Each structure stands twice: as structure tokens, then as C-alpha cells.
Amino acid sequence: LKRNWQALKTFKGDILAWLPHLSPTGVMVGHDYEVPQFPGVTKAVHEIFQGAANGYYNDTAGGFWIVEATAIPHLLTEPANA
């Protein structure tokens, strides 16, 4: 998800919209995690994945989050237009 969103509602919507398209063995990755200018990103990741994210990596460009589909099978559904 390569988008910078300050609004929690919008970012949560982006994650939730992509979850049905995630392969059961796929990985979802995002950026701006723990970046002060985008507090909605960190909050959305915590609210949706509730600790299931497998790791957070920080570098000079900011933070990144990653979650493996195998850690969140309860969140995966079939896409509506499959």
C-alpha cells in the first residue's frame, strides 16, 4: 500500500479493501509506520491486525510494517468480484 494517509478512516479503508485480494500465502507491507506526520497509519495497523503484524522495520525514511497472510486468516475473504 504505497499511499500516505493522515486520516485513519481512509487508511483503514485502504487496508480493508486490499485484504480480500491477498493470497493465503501473501504478504502485505506498508510504510509511514510510527512516522509522526502520519499517526493514522500506525493506529490503523494496530486496530486491524491487533498484534498479528510480524515485524516493523525502521530506516532513515521512516517505518515499515509487514504482515503475513498466514498470521491473519480470519481477516481474509473472497473478493466480491472474483
Side-chain angles (χ1 to χ4, degrees):
L1 299 175
K2 189 175 180 183
R3 298 177 70 172
N4 294 327
W5 292 107
Q6 293 183 20
L8 171 63
K9 184 176 179 181
T10 302
F11 188 73
K12 281 179 74 171
D14 284 350
I15 292 175
L16 295 172
W18 279 101
L19 278 175
H21 303 284
L22 186 62
S23 162
T25 57
V27 176
M28 187 177 279
V29 179
H31 63 96
D32 291 337
Y33 182 80
E34 293 188 349
V35 174
Q37 296 92 326
F38 306 107
V41 172
T42 303
K43 187 168 175 67
V45 169
H46 285 233
E47 286 183 11
I48 293 170
F49 300 121
Q50 300 179 0
N54 293 346
Y56 302 109
Y57 304 95
N58 290 306
D59 65 12
T60 57
F64 293 83
W65 57 269
I66 182 170
V67 64
E68 294 182 26
T70 56
I72 56 165
H74 60 286
L75 295 177
L76 303 180
T77 60
E78 290 295 318
N81 297 322

